[in-house]
Every structure is written in structure tokens, then in C-alpha cells.
């Protein structure tokens, strides 16, 4: 199934010409659960990794305010909850049976820290042939992204970016190492997904615009919202109309403008290792 972004309700750059030079192309990945192969682009799928190349690990300090769980614990918890949500139940029936509740509590209880370097977890594999506009260092056609599935004291994930020539991998690794310790909520564990890349045009979130222009966009959004919702005259939903409908695309993507929600933009040091000596914006 081809997945595309619905047309924007208005051409915002024609209404606010100041936005036109700020337009950026982004590629929405539209990940959907599937069974990706190592020779396909994916989120959370298997990587095309040479058997003779060392698998990267994280030896940095982790937040230890909660005990970690195993990757298998996360997968079993998700499977249990998915099955529970899918089965029919009455309006007063609990989602989980007592036995399921006890099992889920056990899976979420956590284990003692292993204390050894933690194997990184595959996050994304992107073949340049699949991603419009994505380019890499000479002689490479594949970008692989891995990270440590734990919170870090720095507040940023420990990530590794690897560029490689797919044709050079003649003996792929089967059964790569898995992290022994994982965030108890599974926040850093993506489900295996196939991709449906799509190029879109984005504009900056209000936080990155001059205050005067951002204020005018808010006022315009309020007026547009009032036109279509005259019964909600005092509703403030229009305040974010530009931000959520016309600026930054949601979901997994490459390039474009950064999304802002729970915090405002602020400078931070990069915390991304790359192999070989090359960088990429994700």
C-alpha cells in the first residue's frame, strides 16, 4: 500500500511569503509493521552487517533510577497487551486476567544491572536507492543507525551511524548480539517495520521563527479556526493550527525541520558516533 501525506489545506507560503525561503524537503518514512529483510530499508529490522565486523556496544553511564528489563521481556509484554486489546470484552471486564496481570508485573519488575558494555540495538537501515535526496560518502549506498536502549545521564541516546557499501558484505552476520539491559518501558525498542518513503515540504515550527512572524501565524490560525468552528468562538485550538497542520511533518522522517513539543529549542552538543568518518542528519 502506498502511503502519502494528505494535501495541505492551504499554501501557507503564499499567505506568508516570508516562509517561502525557509521551505525544506523532508522524507517521511511511513513505517508499518512487517518482516523486513537485511537487504531492505527498515525501522527496527535486521541490519546487513559483516560477520567479521565487531558489533558496537555502549559503555557510557546510564540512568539507574529504575531496574532494566531484557529485550525478551519487552517483546513478551507487548505481545501480551496486544492480544488483550484485540479480544472482545464486556464494559466492566478487566483488560487482563489475574494471571496475565501477574505475568506482566513479573516482566516489568526488572533485573539487576549487568554492568558490562551494552550491545546497541538496530534502529534504522536506509538504502540510498529508497530514500529521495539521501546521499552518503563516496562508495557507500547504505546508512545504518543503532543506539543504546537505555536512558543516559547526558539526556541523549548513545547512537552510532554506519555508512557502508552493501555489495561489500559477502558474509552477513546472522543472530547479532542483543542488549542485556533495556529501558523498562521499551521506549527505545522499535518494532520491525517496512518503509514507504515520501518526499514532503516543511516549514519551521513557530519556536524557530522570528517572534513577530510567529505571532502573526497564531493570529491567522485563530481566525481560520473560528471560520470553520464558529460555535467554538473562545476555543484556543487555532493557536497551534500552523504548527500541527502546516509546518513540520509528524512521525519518522529524514531531513526537514526539527519538531518541538515538550521543550523549546536549545543548543546541545552532538552525541553521535559515526563509522567511517562521516556525519548524517537523522
Amino acid at each position: 500500500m502506498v502511503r502519502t501525506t494528505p494535501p495541505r489545506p492551504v499554501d501557507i507560503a503564499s499567505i506568508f511569503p516570508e516562509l517561502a525561503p525557509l521551505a525544506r524537503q523532508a522524507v517521511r518514512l511511513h513505517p508499518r509493521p512487517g518482516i523486513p529483510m537485511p537487504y531492505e530499508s527498515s525501522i527496527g529490522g535486521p541490519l546487513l552487517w559483516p560477520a567479521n565486523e565487531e558489533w558496537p556496544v555502549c559503555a557510557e553511564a546510564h540512568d539507574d533510577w529504575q531496574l532494566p528489563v531484557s529485550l525478551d521481556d519487552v517483546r513478551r509484554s507487548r505481545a501480551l497487551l496486544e492480544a488483550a486489546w484485540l479480544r472482545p470484552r464486556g464494559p466492566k471486564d478487566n483488560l487482563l486476567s489475574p494471571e496475565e496481570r501477574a505475568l506482566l508485573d513479573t516482566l516489568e519488575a526488572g533485573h539487576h544491572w549487568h554492568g558490562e558494555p551494552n550491545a546497541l540495538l538496530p534502529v534504522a537501515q536506509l538504502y540510498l536507492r529508497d530514500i529521495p535526496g539521501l546521499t552518503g560518502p563516496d562508495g557507500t549506498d547504505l546508512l545504518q543507525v543503532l543506539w543504546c536502549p537505555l536512558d543516559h545521564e547526558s539526556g541523549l541516546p548513545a547512537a552510532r551511524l554506519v555508512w557502508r557499501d552493501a555489495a561489500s558484505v559477502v558474509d552477513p552476520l546472522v543472530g547479532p548480539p542483543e542488549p542485556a539491559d533495556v529501558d523498562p518501558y521499551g521506549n527505545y525498542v522499535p518494532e520491525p517495520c517496512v518503509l514507504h518513503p515520501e518526499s514532503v515540504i516543511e516549514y519551521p515550527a513557530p519556536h524557530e521563527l522570528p517572534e513577530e512572524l510567529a505571532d502573526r501565524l497564531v493570529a491567522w490560525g485563530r481566525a481560520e479556526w473560528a471560520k470553520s468552528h464558529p460555535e467554538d468562538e473562545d476555543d484556543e485550538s487555532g493557536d497551534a493550527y500552523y504548527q500541527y497542520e502546516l509546518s513540520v511533518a509528524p512521525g519518522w522522517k529524514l531531513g526537514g525541520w526539527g519538531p518541538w513539543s515538550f521543550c523549546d529549542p536549545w543548543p546541545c552538543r552532538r552525541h553521535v558516533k559515526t563509522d567511517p568518518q562521516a556525519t548524517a542528519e537523522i
Side-chain angles (χ1 to χ4, degrees):
M1 178 184 295
V2 177
R3 300 187 181 274
T4 56
T5 302
R8 298 292 175 95
V10 297
D11 178 8
I12 193 64
S14 67
I15 302 172
F16 293 88
E18 306 98 314
L19 292 173
L22 302 178
R24 288 183 183 176
Q25 176 177 295
V27 179
R28 298 193 67 193
L29 299 179
H30 295 297
R32 293 297 184 275
I35 308 176
M37 296 290 104
Y39 293 94
E40 296 176 303
S41 294
S42 67
I43 294 296
L47 302 184
L48 183 66
W49 196 272
N52 62 354
E53 183 175 322
E54 184 177 0
W55 190 265
V57 298
C58 175
E60 299 183 12
H62 302 118
D63 276 340
D64 57 3
W65 63 284
Q66 281 186 300
L67 291 175
V69 299
S70 71
L71 196 57
D72 185 59
D73 291 338
V74 172
R75 290 168 175 161
R76 291 177 64 192
S77 295
R78 289 179 177 176
L80 187 157
L81 290 170
E82 181 179 9
W85 280 111
L86 289 175
R87 69 181 174 229
R89 67 182 190 278
K92 295 184 179 181
D93 292 341
N94 291 327
L95 176 65
L96 301 176
S97 69
E99 295 76 17
E100 290 172 328
R101 180 72 261 177
L103 174 57
L104 186 61
D105 289 342
T106 299
L107 294 172
E108 294 179 342
H111 58 235
H112 293 296
W113 292 89
H114 283 77
E116 300 294 329
N118 210 34
L120 298 192
L121 190 67
V123 179
Q125 176 164 268
L126 305 170
Y127 284 87
L128 269 58
R129 64 173 185 255
D130 298 328
I131 312 299
L134 180 61
T135 59
D138 290 343
T140 65
D141 62 354
L142 175 60
L143 172 62
Q144 297 170 321
V145 184
L146 307 91
W147 66 22
C148 178
L150 290 166
D151 288 326
H152 290 70
E153 292 181 355
S154 65
L156 297 170
R160 177 74 60 88
L161 274 60
V162 180
W163 288 101
R164 70 170 76 252
D165 172 18
S168 69
V169 184
V170 295
D171 183 19
L173 176 65
V174 178
E178 292 188 342
D181 296 329
V182 176
D183 161 72
Y185 301 106
N187 291 329
Y188 300 99
V189 181
E191 289 292 307
C193 289
V194 296
L195 306 183
H196 305 268
E198 176 201 14
S199 295
V200 297
I201 298 299
E202 294 186 330
Y203 299 98
H207 312 66
E208 298 198 62
L209 293 173
E211 184 175 355
E212 182 272 337
L213 176 56
D215 289 344
R216 284 194 287 126
L217 283 163
V218 168
W220 172 83
R222 288 175 180 168
E224 290 297 302
W225 182 263
K227 290 178 186 177
S228 56
H229 300 79
E231 71 284 0
D232 299 325
E233 193 172 317
D234 298 326
D235 192 347
E236 296 181 354
S237 299
D239 291 13
Y241 181 61
Y242 164 76
Q243 179 175 354
Y244 294 117
E245 299 293 335
L246 302 168
S247 62
V248 181
W252 290 78
K253 63 168 190 161
L254 274 75
W257 288 93
W260 300 100
S261 177
F262 298 109
C263 67
D264 292 336
W266 61 290
C268 66
R269 67 181 181 86
R270 287 200 177 275
H271 198 66
V272 175
K273 297 179 181 178
T274 61
D275 268 332
Q277 295 180 348
T279 59
E281 285 284 333
I282 296 294

